[in-house]
Amino acid sequence: MKCDQIKPISLAFKVTLSLCLLHSTLSLTNNYAHECKFPAIFNFGDSNSDTGGLTSIYGQVHPPNGETFFGAPAGRFCDGRLIIDFLAESLGLPYLSAYLNSVGSNFSHGANFATAGSTVRPQNTTISQSGYSPISLDVQFAEFSEFRKSSQVVRNRGGVFEGLLPKEEYFANALYTFDIGQNDLTAGYKLNMSTDQVKAVVPDVVAQFAKVVRGVYEQGGRSFWIHNTGPVGCLAYMLDVYPLTAAQVDKFGCAIPFNEAAQFYNAKLKDAVDELKKDLPLAAITYVDVYSLKYTLITHAEEFGFEEALVACCGHGGKYNFNNAMRCGSTKTLNGTEIVIAKSCKNPSIKIIWDGIHYTEAANKWLTSQILKNVIYL
């Protein structure tokens, strides 16, 4: 019995799943559940799945990030857990340590190469200049390749290293997760590109994405979990910084051109995944339509217990509680005392957008539950 004998339930969310994943959500025998349990996760991505990569380089995020679950900033641009955290929980694995974090990290069950601001394509600028991380997907793959080799050399020394680094066989049996591409789109708009110009670079973005998946496969990876990108036109950051005409906004308040760019990217990514499935016969590849889930949550917020779908929980002022110059946790010194200006809302559990760019823990939990519900055993 193979771990790729899973197909999706046909729902409007259109989540395409092909892995034997998360045995706790399936009605499986103990033997089959054991056979399909992933011993590790290796993640590649941006801030949607960064568990401390960027903050290891540039310093910790400010409070109130982390307040809901961790009680303090925890390297995540969120009030609590991300989808990757809930995914790890469902697999019975610890939360992923960021590869770049040298303090207190445990890589025995995987590593997280994601960094906030990362793009698929190199941006050729520093984060201080552009707001985008220099650690693009090709760099993350280089980090993984080095980690794969060096972790075994060090682990063989025994002692504490044996308990903190993955076993060699974990690399073949691990789940490889990807959640990246959103910043490639927003980077284009930041350079004053039109939506057509943004779309024009998408084929190259997707080609570089696929190249890394092939690279992981060549190094023994077999199980892949690939997110498409969300509706960027529904984010306060995009709506506030790039104002549009009334005709360019849909009935839910989301920006039509930005969402069209995201959907174009997703269509090309899906085509690439289909090609990868043909070319990599031993791979089990999961394509997760996060766009549909996120757009459904935002446009039907009240049905799912959420309020003010487009308004950020943590921020300061404006229609969307977002100020690009005064982001979540920003402070100001008044009469010699530092006070927080961009504060958290009273109840993050009923908010979808955390800081105008990222999602709340409550939204991430809902999204993960919807993804996992749509898996059935054949």
Side-chain angles (χ1 to χ4, degrees):
M1 196 173 293
K2 297 182 180 180
C3 289
D4 60 357
Q5 293 178 324
I6 295 294
K7 290 186 178 180
I9 299 174
S10 178
L11 293 177
F13 295 143
K14 297 180 287 186
V15 180
T16 304
L17 296 168
S18 58
L19 295 177
C20 173
L21 187 60
L22 304 173
H23 61 271
S24 63
T25 69
L26 308 175
S27 298
L28 305 177
T29 65
N30 288 336
N31 288 339
Y32 188 61
H34 176 75
E35 179 186 350
C36 292
K37 185 175 181 180
F38 297 102
I41 300 173
F42 295 101
N43 182 66
F44 303 82
D46 53 30
S47 58
N48 290 304
S49 61
D50 183 1
T51 57
L54 189 75
T55 60
S56 298
I57 306 172
Y58 295 102
Q60 188 57 267
V61 293
H62 299 293
N65 285 288
E67 66 175 11
T68 295
F69 182 79
F70 300 100
R76 296 156 174 81
F77 290 85
C78 180
D79 61 311
R81 290 164 289 184
L82 310 175
I83 290 177
I84 190 67
D85 294 315
F86 288 113
L87 180 59
E89 283 184 8
S90 296
L91 287 171
L93 298 176
Y95 300 134
L96 293 184
S97 293
Y99 170 75
L100 295 173
N101 191 353
S102 60
V103 179
S105 291
N106 184 339
F107 300 113
S108 60
H109 293 283
N112 194 352
F113 302 95
T115 59
S118 287
T119 53
V120 175
R121 302 198 311 169
Q123 295 299 306
N124 299 318
T125 55
T126 66
I127 192 167
S128 60
Q129 295 171 326
S130 69
Y132 294 95
S133 171
I135 305 173
S136 48
L137 185 58
D138 59 326
V139 177
Q140 293 181 30
F141 175 64
E143 292 172 342
F144 163 75
S145 299
E146 175 58 29
F147 177 78
R148 187 178 181 279
K149 292 182 292 186
S150 62
S151 64
Q152 298 313 294
V153 173
V154 177
R155 190 176 191 278
N156 288 335
R157 297 175 186 172
V160 66
F161 302 112
E162 187 173 0
L164 294 176
L165 294 167
K167 297 178 181 179
E168 183 176 4
E169 61 266 27
Y170 283 9
F171 289 93
N173 298 320
L175 180 62
Y176 290 87
T177 54
F178 292 78
D179 189 351
I180 192 168
Q182 176 175 313
N183 292 324
D184 290 270
L185 303 180
T186 59
Y189 289 111
K190 190 166 185 176
L191 294 172
N192 295 317
M193 294 169 64
S194 68
T195 294
D196 285 341
Q197 289 174 321
V198 171
K199 288 181 178 180
V201 304
V202 164
D204 185 49
V205 173
V206 171
Q208 294 196 41
F209 191 123
K211 181 180 179 180
V212 170
V213 174
R214 293 177 188 276
V216 173
Y217 181 86
E218 289 171 1
Q219 295 193 28
R222 292 296 180 262
S223 299
F224 299 88
W225 167 278
I226 298 174
H227 283 196
N228 64 14
T229 199
V232 294
C234 298
L235 298 177
Y237 167 74
M238 297 297 290
L239 292 167
D240 182 82
V241 176
Y242 307 102
L244 301 171
T245 66
Q248 293 175 304
V249 178
D250 68 20
K251 63 180 181 180
F252 301 106
C254 297
I256 295 171
F258 304 150
N259 281 348
E260 285 182 349
Q263 290 173 309
F264 183 81
Y265 169 82
N266 292 340
K268 294 300 182 183
L269 180 63
K270 180 62 169 60
D271 290 343
V273 168
D274 290 341
E275 285 300 313
L276 288 168
K277 289 179 179 179
K278 294 177 184 177
D279 296 343
L280 310 179
L282 299 180
I285 305 177
T286 298
Y287 174 86
V288 185
D289 187 4
V290 175
Y291 181 99
S292 293
L293 284 170
K294 289 182 175 180
Y295 191 70
T296 296
L297 176 59
I298 289 169
T299 57
H300 296 77
E302 293 185 2
E303 294 179 26
F304 303 115
F306 294 88
E307 298 178 358
E308 297 182 306
L310 302 181
V311 178
C313 171
C314 184
H316 178 69
K319 180 179 179 180
Y320 305 103
N321 192 35
F322 177 83
N323 183 334
N324 201 33
M326 191 70 66
R327 293 190 182 184
C328 178
S330 293
T331 61
K332 182 178 291 187
T333 301
L334 296 176
N335 299 322
T337 301
E338 188 176 50
I339 62 172
V340 178
I341 299 297
K343 301 178 181 180
S344 173
C345 59
K346 291 182 179 180
N347 190 2
S349 68
I350 60 172
K351 302 293 289 186
I352 295 173
I353 305 300
W354 168 239
D355 56 3
I357 303 173
H358 310 98
Y359 289 71
T360 61
E361 173 177 289
N364 288 327
K365 184 175 183 180
W366 184 91
L367 292 164
T368 308
S369 71
Q370 295 304 308
I371 292 169
L372 303 183
K373 276 181 183 178
N374 296 302
V375 185
I376 60 171
Y377 169 56
L378 292 184

